[in-house]
Coordinates of all heavy atoms in Angstrom, one line a residue:
M1 N 16.3 9.1 16.3 CA 15.3 8.1 16.2 C 16.0 6.9 15.4 O 16.3 7.1 14.3 CB 14.0 8.5 15.6 CG 13.0 7.4 15.5 SD 11.5 7.9 14.6 CE 10.6 8.7 15.9
E2 N 16.0 5.7 16.0 CA 16.7 4.6 15.3 C 16.0 4.2 14.0 O 16.7 3.8 13.1 CB 16.7 3.4 16.3 CG 17.5 2.3 15.8 CD 17.6 1.2 16.8 OE1 17.2 1.4 18.0 OE2 17.9 0.0 16.4
S3 N 14.7 4.3 13.9 CA 14.0 3.8 12.7 C 14.3 4.6 11.5 O 14.0 4.2 10.4 CB 12.5 3.7 13.0 OG 12.0 5.0 13.2
R4 N 14.9 5.8 11.6 CA 15.1 6.6 10.5 C 16.3 6.1 9.6 O 16.6 6.7 8.6 CB 15.4 8.1 10.9 CG 14.2 8.7 11.5 CD 14.4 10.2 11.6 NE 13.4 10.7 12.4 CZ 12.3 11.3 11.9 NH1 12.1 11.3 10.7 NH2 11.4 11.8 12.7
N5 N 16.8 5.0 9.9 CA 17.9 4.4 9.1 C 17.4 3.5 8.0 O 18.2 2.8 7.3 CB 18.9 3.7 10.0 CG 18.3 2.5 10.6 OD1 17.2 2.1 10.3 ND2 19.1 1.9 11.5
N6 N 16.1 3.6 7.7 CA 15.5 2.8 6.6 C 15.6 1.3 6.7 O 15.7 0.7 5.8 CB 16.0 3.3 5.3 CG 15.5 4.7 4.9 OD1 14.4 5.0 5.2 ND2 16.3 5.4 4.1
R7 N 15.7 0.8 7.9 CA 15.8 -0.6 8.1 C 14.5 -1.3 8.1 O 14.4 -2.5 8.0 CB 16.6 -1.0 9.3 CG 16.0 -0.6 10.6 CD 16.9 -0.9 11.8 NE 16.1 -0.7 13.0 CZ 15.9 -1.6 13.9 NH1 16.4 -2.8 13.8 NH2 15.2 -1.3 15.0
F8 N 13.4 -0.5 8.2 CA 12.1 -1.1 8.1 C 11.5 -0.9 6.7 O 11.6 0.1 6.1 CB 11.1 -0.4 9.1 CG 11.6 -0.6 10.5 CD1 12.0 0.4 11.3 CD2 11.5 -1.9 11.1 CE1 12.5 0.2 12.6 CE2 11.9 -2.1 12.5 CZ 12.4 -1.0 13.2
I9 N 10.9 -2.0 6.2 CA 10.4 -2.0 4.8 C 8.9 -2.1 4.8 O 8.3 -2.8 5.6 CB 11.0 -3.2 4.1 CG1 12.5 -3.1 4.1 CG2 10.5 -3.3 2.7 CD1 13.2 -4.4 3.6
A10 N 8.3 -1.2 3.9 CA 6.8 -1.1 3.9 C 6.4 -1.1 2.4 O 7.1 -0.9 1.5 CB 6.3 0.1 4.6
A11 N 5.0 -1.4 2.3 CA 4.3 -1.3 1.0 C 3.0 -0.8 1.2 O 2.4 -0.9 2.3 CB 4.3 -2.7 0.3
I12 N 2.4 -0.1 0.2 CA 1.1 0.5 0.3 C 0.2 0.0 -0.8 O 0.7 0.0 -2.0 CB 1.2 2.1 0.1 CG1 2.0 2.6 1.3 CG2 -0.2 2.7 0.1 CD1 2.4 4.1 1.1
L13 N -1.0 -0.4 -0.5 CA -1.9 -0.9 -1.5 C -3.2 -0.1 -1.4 O -3.8 0.0 -0.3 CB -2.3 -2.4 -1.2 CG -3.3 -3.0 -2.2 CD1 -2.9 -2.9 -3.6 CD2 -3.6 -4.4 -1.8
I14 N -3.5 0.6 -2.4 CA -4.8 1.4 -2.5 C -5.8 0.6 -3.4 O -5.5 0.3 -4.5 CB -4.5 2.8 -3.1 CG1 -3.4 3.5 -2.4 CG2 -5.8 3.6 -3.2 CD1 -3.7 3.9 -0.9
A15 N -7.0 0.3 -2.8 CA -8.0 -0.4 -3.5 C -9.2 0.6 -3.8 O -9.9 1.0 -2.9 CB -8.5 -1.6 -2.7
S16 N -9.2 1.1 -5.0 CA -10.2 2.1 -5.4 C -10.4 2.1 -6.9 O -9.4 2.3 -7.6 CB -9.8 3.5 -4.9 OG -10.8 4.4 -5.1
D17 N -11.6 2.0 -7.3 CA -11.9 2.0 -8.7 C -11.6 3.3 -9.5 O -11.0 3.2 -10.5 CB -13.4 1.7 -8.9 CG -13.9 0.3 -8.5 OD1 -13.0 -0.6 -8.6 OD2 -15.0 0.1 -8.2
R18 N -11.9 4.4 -8.9 CA -11.7 5.7 -9.6 C -10.2 6.0 -9.8 O -9.8 6.4 -10.9 CB -12.5 6.8 -8.9 CG -14.0 6.7 -9.3 CD -14.8 7.7 -8.7 NE -15.1 7.3 -7.3 CZ -15.8 8.0 -6.4 NH1 -16.1 9.2 -6.7 NH2 -16.0 7.6 -5.2
P19 N -9.4 5.9 -8.8 CA -8.0 6.2 -9.0 C -7.3 5.1 -9.9 O -6.5 5.4 -10.7 CB -7.3 6.1 -7.6 CG -8.4 6.5 -6.7 CD -9.7 5.9 -7.3
F20 N -7.8 3.9 -9.8 CA -7.3 2.8 -10.7 C -7.5 3.1 -12.2 O -6.7 3.0 -13.0 CB -7.8 1.5 -10.3 CG -7.4 0.4 -11.2 CD1 -6.1 -0.2 -11.1 CD2 -8.2 -0.1 -12.2 CE1 -5.7 -1.2 -11.9 CE2 -7.8 -1.1 -13.1 CZ -6.5 -1.7 -13.0
S21 N -8.8 3.6 -12.5 CA -9.1 4.0 -13.8 C -8.8 5.4 -14.2 O -9.3 5.9 -15.2 CB -10.6 3.6 -14.1 OG -11.4 4.4 -13.2
N22 N -8.1 6.1 -13.4 CA -7.6 7.5 -13.7 C -8.8 8.4 -13.8 O -8.7 9.5 -14.4 CB -6.8 7.6 -14.9 CG -5.5 6.9 -14.8 OD1 -4.8 7.0 -13.7 ND2 -5.0 6.1 -15.7
Q23 N -9.9 8.1 -13.1 CA -11.1 9.1 -13.0 C -10.8 10.2 -12.0 O -11.5 11.2 -12.0 CB -12.3 8.3 -12.8 CG -12.8 7.4 -13.9 CD -14.0 6.6 -13.5 OE1 -14.5 6.7 -12.4 NE2 -14.4 5.7 -14.4
R24 N -9.9 9.9 -11.0 CA -9.6 10.9 -10.0 C -8.2 10.5 -9.5 O -7.9 9.3 -9.5 CB -10.6 11.0 -9.0 CG -10.5 10.1 -7.8 CD -11.3 10.4 -6.6 NE -11.0 9.4 -5.7 CZ -11.8 8.9 -4.9 NH1 -13.1 9.3 -4.8 NH2 -11.5 7.9 -4.0
P25 N -7.5 11.5 -9.0 CA -6.2 11.1 -8.5 C -6.3 10.5 -7.1 O -7.2 10.7 -6.4 CB -5.5 12.5 -8.3 CG -6.6 13.5 -8.3 CD -7.7 12.9 -9.0
D26 N -5.2 9.6 -6.8 CA -5.1 9.0 -5.5 C -4.6 10.0 -4.6 O -3.5 10.5 -4.7 CB -4.2 7.8 -5.5 CG -3.9 7.2 -4.2 OD1 -4.8 7.3 -3.3 OD2 -2.7 6.8 -4.0
K27 N -5.3 10.4 -3.5 CA -4.9 11.3 -2.5 C -4.3 10.6 -1.2 O -3.6 11.2 -0.5 CB -6.0 12.3 -2.1 CG -6.4 13.1 -3.2 CD -7.6 14.0 -2.8 CE -8.1 14.8 -4.0 NZ -9.3 15.7 -3.6
T28 N -4.7 9.4 -1.0 CA -4.3 8.7 0.2 C -2.9 8.2 0.1 O -2.1 8.3 1.0 CB -5.3 7.5 0.4 OG1 -6.6 8.0 0.5 CG2 -5.0 6.8 1.7
G29 N -2.6 7.6 -1.0 CA -1.2 6.9 -1.1 C -0.1 7.9 -0.9 O 0.9 7.6 -0.2
P30 N -0.1 9.1 -1.6 CA 1.0 10.0 -1.4 C 1.2 10.4 0.1 O 2.3 10.6 0.6 CB 0.7 11.2 -2.3 CG -0.1 10.6 -3.3 CD -1.0 9.5 -2.7
G31 N 0.1 10.6 0.8 CA 0.2 11.0 2.2 C 0.7 9.9 3.1 O 1.6 10.2 3.9
L32 N 0.4 8.7 2.8 CA 0.9 7.5 3.5 C 2.4 7.4 3.2 O 3.2 7.1 4.1 CB 0.2 6.3 3.1 CG -1.3 6.1 3.6 CD1 -1.9 4.9 3.1 CD2 -1.3 6.1 5.2
E33 N 2.7 7.6 2.0 CA 4.2 7.5 1.5 C 5.0 8.5 2.3 O 6.1 8.2 2.8 CB 4.3 7.6 0.0 CG 5.7 7.4 -0.5 CD 5.7 7.4 -2.0 OE1 4.7 7.4 -2.7 OE2 6.9 7.3 -2.5
R34 N 4.6 9.7 2.3 CA 5.3 10.8 3.0 C 5.4 10.4 4.5 O 6.6 10.6 5.1 CB 4.6 12.1 2.9 CG 4.8 12.8 1.6 CD 4.3 14.3 1.6 NE 2.9 14.4 1.9 CZ 1.9 14.2 1.0 NH1 2.2 14.1 -0.2 NH2 0.6 14.3 1.4
R35 N 4.4 10.0 5.1 CA 4.5 9.6 6.6 C 5.4 8.4 6.8 O 6.2 8.5 7.8 CB 3.0 9.3 7.1 CG 3.0 9.2 8.6 CD 3.3 10.5 9.2 NE 3.2 10.3 10.7 CZ 3.7 11.1 11.5 NH1 4.3 12.2 11.2 NH2 3.5 10.9 12.8
L36 N 5.3 7.4 6.0 CA 6.2 6.3 6.2 C 7.6 6.6 6.0 O 8.5 6.2 6.8 CB 5.8 5.1 5.3 CG 4.5 4.4 5.5 CD1 4.2 3.4 4.4 CD2 4.6 3.6 6.9
T37 N 7.9 7.5 5.0 CA 9.3 7.9 4.8 C 9.8 8.7 6.0 O 10.9 8.5 6.5 CB 9.4 8.8 3.5 OG1 8.9 8.0 2.4 CG2 10.8 9.2 3.3
F38 N 8.9 9.6 6.5 CA 9.2 10.4 7.7 C 9.6 9.5 8.9 O 10.5 9.8 9.7 CB 8.1 11.3 8.0 CG 8.3 12.1 9.3 CD1 9.1 13.2 9.4 CD2 7.7 11.7 10.5 CE1 9.3 13.9 10.6 CE2 7.8 12.3 11.7 CZ 8.7 13.5 11.7
L39 N 8.8 8.4 9.1 CA 9.0 7.5 10.2 C 10.2 6.5 10.0 O 10.5 5.8 10.8 CB 7.7 6.7 10.4 CG 6.5 7.5 10.9 CD1 5.3 6.6 10.9 CD2 6.8 8.0 12.3
G40 N 10.8 6.6 8.8 CA 12.0 5.8 8.6 C 11.8 4.5 7.8 O 12.7 3.7 7.7
Y41 N 10.7 4.3 7.2 CA 10.4 3.1 6.5 C 10.9 3.3 5.0 O 10.9 4.4 4.5 CB 8.9 2.8 6.3 CG 8.3 2.2 7.6 CD1 7.9 3.0 8.6 CD2 8.3 0.8 7.7 CE1 7.4 2.4 9.8 CE2 7.8 0.2 8.8 CZ 7.3 1.0 9.9 OH 6.8 0.4 11.0
R42 N 11.4 2.2 4.5 CA 11.8 2.3 3.0 C 10.7 1.6 2.3 O 10.3 0.4 2.5 CB 13.1 1.4 2.8 CG 13.5 1.4 1.4 CD 15.0 0.9 1.2 NE 15.2 -0.4 1.9 CZ 15.1 -1.5 1.3 NH1 14.9 -1.6 0.0 NH2 15.4 -2.7 1.9
L43 N 10.0 2.3 1.3 CA 8.9 1.9 0.6 C 9.4 1.1 -0.6 O 10.1 1.6 -1.5 CB 8.1 3.0 0.2 CG 6.7 2.8 -0.4 CD1 5.8 2.2 0.7 CD2 6.0 4.0 -0.9
I44 N 8.9 -0.2 -0.7 CA 9.4 -1.0 -1.8 C 8.2 -1.4 -2.7 O 8.4 -2.0 -3.8 CB 10.1 -2.3 -1.4 CG1 9.1 -3.2 -0.6 CG2 11.3 -2.0 -0.6 CD1 9.6 -4.6 -0.5
G45 N 7.0 -1.0 -2.3 CA 5.9 -1.3 -3.2 C 4.7 -0.3 -3.0 O 4.5 0.1 -1.9
K46 N 4.1 0.1 -4.1 CA 3.0 1.0 -4.0 C 2.1 0.6 -5.2 O 2.5 0.8 -6.3 CB 3.4 2.5 -4.0 CG 2.2 3.4 -3.9 CD 2.7 4.8 -3.8 CE 1.5 5.8 -4.0 NZ 2.0 7.1 -4.3
E47 N 0.9 0.2 -5.0 CA 0.0 -0.3 -6.1 C -1.4 0.3 -5.8 O -1.8 0.5 -4.7 CB -0.1 -1.8 -6.1 CG 1.1 -2.5 -6.4 CD 1.5 -2.7 -7.9 OE1 0.5 -2.4 -8.7 OE2 2.6 -2.9 -8.2
I48 N -2.0 0.6 -6.9 CA -3.4 0.9 -7.0 C -4.1 -0.1 -7.8 O -3.8 -0.4 -8.9 CB -3.6 2.3 -7.6 CG1 -2.9 3.4 -6.8 CG2 -5.1 2.7 -7.6 CD1 -2.9 4.8 -7.5
V49 N -5.1 -0.7 -7.2 CA -5.9 -1.8 -7.8 C -7.4 -1.4 -7.8 O -7.8 -0.6 -7.0 CB -5.7 -3.2 -7.1 CG1 -4.2 -3.6 -7.2 CG2 -6.1 -3.2 -5.7
P50 N -8.2 -2.1 -8.7 CA -9.6 -1.8 -8.6 C -10.2 -2.4 -7.2 O -9.5 -3.2 -6.6 CB -10.2 -2.6 -9.8 CG -9.2 -3.5 -10.2 CD -7.9 -3.0 -9.7
D51 N -11.3 -1.9 -6.9 CA -12.0 -2.4 -5.7 C -12.6 -3.8 -6.0 O -13.8 -4.0 -6.1 CB -13.1 -1.4 -5.3 CG -13.7 -1.6 -4.0 OD1 -13.1 -2.5 -3.3 OD2 -14.7 -1.0 -3.7
D52 N -11.7 -4.8 -6.0 CA -12.0 -6.1 -6.3 C -11.2 -7.0 -5.5 O -10.0 -6.9 -5.4 CB -11.7 -6.4 -7.8 CG -11.9 -7.8 -8.2 OD1 -13.0 -8.2 -8.4 OD2 -10.9 -8.6 -8.3
I53 N -11.8 -7.9 -4.8 CA -11.2 -8.8 -3.8 C -10.1 -9.6 -4.4 O -9.0 -9.8 -3.7 CB -12.2 -9.6 -2.9 CG1 -11.6 -10.1 -1.7 CG2 -12.7 -10.7 -3.8 CD1 -11.5 -9.1 -0.6
R54 N -10.3 -10.1 -5.6 CA -9.2 -10.9 -6.2 C -8.0 -10.1 -6.5 O -6.9 -10.5 -6.4 CB -9.7 -11.6 -7.5 CG -10.7 -12.7 -7.1 CD -11.3 -13.2 -8.4 NE -12.3 -12.2 -8.9 CZ -13.6 -12.4 -9.0 NH1 -14.1 -13.5 -8.8 NH2 -14.4 -11.4 -9.3
A55 N -8.2 -8.9 -7.0 CA -7.1 -7.9 -7.3 C -6.3 -7.6 -6.0 O -5.0 -7.6 -6.0 CB -7.5 -6.6 -8.0
I56 N -7.0 -7.3 -5.0 CA -6.4 -7.0 -3.7 C -5.6 -8.2 -3.2 O -4.4 -8.1 -2.8 CB -7.5 -6.6 -2.7 CG1 -8.2 -5.3 -3.1 CG2 -6.9 -6.4 -1.3 CD1 -9.5 -5.0 -2.4
F57 N -6.2 -9.4 -3.2 CA -5.5 -10.5 -2.6 C -4.3 -10.9 -3.5 O -3.3 -11.4 -3.0 CB -6.5 -11.7 -2.6 CG -7.4 -11.7 -1.4 CD1 -8.4 -12.6 -1.2 CD2 -7.1 -10.8 -0.3 CE1 -9.3 -12.6 -0.1 CE2 -8.0 -10.8 0.8 CZ -9.0 -11.7 0.9
S58 N -4.4 -10.7 -4.8 CA -3.3 -11.0 -5.7 C -2.0 -10.2 -5.3 O -0.9 -10.8 -5.2 CB -3.7 -10.7 -7.2 OG -2.6 -10.9 -8.0
I59 N -2.2 -9.0 -5.1 CA -1.0 -8.1 -4.7 C -0.6 -8.5 -3.3 O 0.6 -8.6 -3.0 CB -1.4 -6.6 -4.8 CG1 -1.7 -6.2 -6.2 CG2 -0.3 -5.7 -4.2 CD1 -0.6 -6.3 -7.2
L60 N -1.5 -8.7 -2.4 CA -1.1 -9.1 -1.0 C -0.3 -10.3 -1.0 O 0.7 -10.5 -0.3 CB -2.3 -9.1 -0.1 CG -3.0 -7.8 0.3 CD1 -4.3 -8.0 1.1 CD2 -2.0 -6.9 1.0
K61 N -0.8 -11.3 -1.7 CA 0.0 -12.6 -1.8 C 1.4 -12.4 -2.3 O 2.3 -13.0 -1.8 CB -0.8 -13.6 -2.7 CG -2.0 -14.2 -2.0 CD -2.7 -15.2 -3.0 CE -4.0 -15.6 -2.6 NZ -4.7 -16.5 -3.5
K62 N 1.5 -11.6 -3.4 CA 2.8 -11.3 -3.9 C 3.7 -10.7 -2.9 O 4.9 -11.1 -2.7 CB 2.7 -10.4 -5.2 CG 4.0 -10.1 -5.8 CD 3.8 -9.2 -7.1 CE 3.7 -7.8 -6.7 NZ 3.7 -6.9 -7.8
W63 N 3.2 -9.7 -2.2 CA 4.0 -9.0 -1.2 C 4.3 -9.9 0.0 O 5.4 -9.8 0.6 CB 3.4 -7.8 -0.8 CG 3.4 -6.6 -1.8 CD1 4.3 -6.6 -2.9 CD2 2.7 -5.4 -1.8 NE1 4.0 -5.5 -3.6 CE2 3.1 -4.7 -2.9 CE3 1.7 -4.9 -1.0 CZ2 2.5 -3.5 -3.3 CZ3 1.2 -3.7 -1.3 CH2 1.6 -2.9 -2.4
I64 N 3.4 -10.7 0.4 CA 3.6 -11.5 1.6 C 4.7 -12.6 1.3 O 5.5 -12.9 2.2 CB 2.3 -12.2 2.0 CG1 1.3 -11.2 2.6 CG2 2.5 -13.4 3.0 CD1 -0.1 -11.6 2.9
R65 N 4.7 -13.1 0.1 CA 5.7 -14.0 -0.3 C 7.1 -13.4 -0.4 O 8.1 -14.1 -0.3 CB 5.4 -14.7 -1.7 CG 4.2 -15.6 -1.5 CD 3.9 -16.3 -2.8 NE 2.7 -17.2 -2.7 CZ 1.7 -17.2 -3.5 NH1 1.7 -16.5 -4.6 NH2 0.7 -18.0 -3.3
A66 N 7.2 -12.1 -0.6 CA 8.4 -11.4 -0.7 C 8.9 -11.2 0.7 O 8.4 -10.5 1.5 CB 8.2 -10.0 -1.4
N67 N 10.0 -11.9 1.1 CA 10.6 -11.8 2.4 C 11.1 -10.4 2.7 O 11.6 -9.7 1.8 CB 11.7 -12.8 2.6 CG 11.2 -14.2 2.5 OD1 10.1 -14.5 3.0 ND2 12.0 -15.1 2.0
G68 N 10.9 -10.0 3.9 CA 11.5 -8.7 4.3 C 10.6 -7.5 4.4 O 11.0 -6.5 4.9
I69 N 9.3 -7.7 4.0 CA 8.4 -6.5 4.2 C 7.8 -6.6 5.6 O 7.3 -7.6 6.0 CB 7.2 -6.7 3.2 CG1 7.7 -6.5 1.7 CG2 6.2 -5.5 3.5 CD1 6.7 -6.6 0.7
H70 N 8.0 -5.5 6.3 CA 7.6 -5.5 7.8 C 6.2 -4.9 7.9 O 5.5 -5.2 8.9 CB 8.6 -4.5 8.5 CG 10.0 -5.0 8.5 ND1 11.0 -4.4 7.8 CD2 10.5 -6.0 9.2 CE1 12.1 -5.0 7.9 NE2 11.9 -6.0 8.8
L71 N 5.7 -4.1 7.0 CA 4.4 -3.5 7.1 C 3.8 -3.3 5.7 O 4.4 -2.8 4.8 CB 4.6 -2.1 7.7 CG 3.4 -1.2 7.9 CD1 2.4 -1.8 8.9 CD2 3.8 0.2 8.3
I72 N 2.5 -3.7 5.7 CA 1.7 -3.5 4.4 C 0.5 -2.8 4.9 O -0.3 -3.2 5.6 CB 1.3 -4.8 3.7 CG1 2.5 -5.6 3.3 CG2 0.4 -4.5 2.6 CD1 2.2 -7.0 2.7
L73 N 0.3 -1.5 4.3 CA -0.9 -0.7 4.6 C -1.9 -0.9 3.4 O -1.5 -0.7 2.2 CB -0.5 0.8 4.7 CG 0.4 1.1 5.9 CD1 0.7 2.6 5.9 CD2 -0.2 0.7 7.2
V74 N -3.1 -1.2 3.7 CA -4.2 -1.4 2.7 C -5.2 -0.3 3.0 O -5.8 -0.3 4.1 CB -4.8 -2.8 2.7 CG1 -5.8 -2.9 1.7 CG2 -3.7 -3.9 2.5
C75 N -5.6 0.5 2.0 CA -6.6 1.5 2.2 C -7.6 1.4 1.1 O -7.3 1.1 -0.1 CB -6.0 2.9 2.1 SG -4.9 3.1 3.5
G76 N -8.8 1.7 1.4 CA -9.9 1.8 0.4 C -10.6 0.4 0.4 O -10.4 -0.4 1.2
G77 N -11.4 0.2 -0.7 CA -12.1 -1.0 -0.9 C -13.4 -1.1 -0.1 O -13.5 -0.6 1.0
K78 N -14.3 -1.8 -0.7 CA -15.6 -2.1 -0.1 C -15.6 -3.6 0.0 O -15.9 -4.3 -0.9 CB -16.7 -1.6 -1.0 CG -16.8 -0.1 -1.1 CD -17.9 0.3 -2.0 CE -18.0 1.8 -2.2 NZ -17.9 2.2 -3.5
W79 N -15.2 -4.0 1.2 CA -14.9 -5.4 1.4 C -16.1 -6.4 1.3 O -15.9 -7.5 1.0 CB -14.2 -5.6 2.8 CG -13.0 -4.9 2.8 CD1 -12.7 -3.6 3.4 CD2 -11.7 -5.3 2.3 NE1 -11.4 -3.3 3.2 CE2 -10.7 -4.2 2.6 CE3 -11.2 -6.4 1.7 CZ2 -9.5 -4.3 2.2 CZ3 -9.9 -6.5 1.3 CH2 -9.0 -5.5 1.6
G80 N -17.3 -5.9 1.3 CA -18.4 -6.7 1.1 C -18.8 -6.9 -0.4 O -19.6 -7.7 -0.7
K81 N -18.2 -6.1 -1.2 CA -18.4 -6.1 -2.6 C -17.7 -7.4 -3.2 O -16.6 -7.7 -3.0 CB -17.9 -4.9 -3.3 CG -18.2 -4.7 -4.7 CD -17.7 -3.3 -5.1 CE -17.7 -3.1 -6.6 NZ -17.1 -1.8 -6.9
S82 N -18.4 -8.1 -4.2 CA -17.8 -9.2 -4.8 C -17.7 -9.1 -6.3 O -18.2 -8.2 -6.9 CB -18.5 -10.5 -4.5 OG -19.9 -10.4 -4.9

């Protein structure tokens, strides 16, 4: 498989209050990381932020400005919450 040469770059953003505050472990991020690695992506960013739209957008803006990221996965968050 051609993509296994790590030429694709990815980042993972988990938006969840409890893992952010260490009240419970993040179970989603490690699974996504394993799958992306298996598929040949090179992971250059993995962040856990609170369930806050400003925190989420802050990381996304930083990563979008970083040239070369092909895929950003965002999991969690209650998007209607302000």
Side-chain angles (χ1 to χ4, degrees):
M1 178 185 280
E2 186 178 344
S3 66
R4 291 191 193 266
N5 65 9
N6 287 330
R7 66 184 186 121
F8 297 111
I9 300 169
I12 298 170
L13 177 61
I14 304 297
S16 183
D17 291 334
R18 286 181 274 176
F20 177 76
S21 62
N22 292 319
Q23 293 177 1
R24 87 166 181 217
D26 169 39
K27 296 179 182 177
T28 305
L32 290 173
E33 186 173 352
R34 283 190 301 274
R35 188 65 178 165
L36 287 173
T37 301
F38 174 78
L39 293 172
Y41 283 86
R42 182 167 51 99
L43 193 64
I44 64 162
K46 183 178 166 193
E47 296 277 343
I48 300 174
V49 297
D51 191 7
D52 174 78
I53 199 74
R54 286 173 291 241
I56 295 165
F57 282 168
S58 175
I59 297 297
L60 289 176
K61 284 179 192 177
K62 180 178 85 171
W63 285 346
I64 289 168
R65 289 182 183 134
N67 293 328
I69 297 178
H70 299 105
L71 175 69
I72 298 173
L73 297 178
V74 181
C75 293
K78 295 179 181 123
W79 297 97
K81 187 176 169 184
S82 54

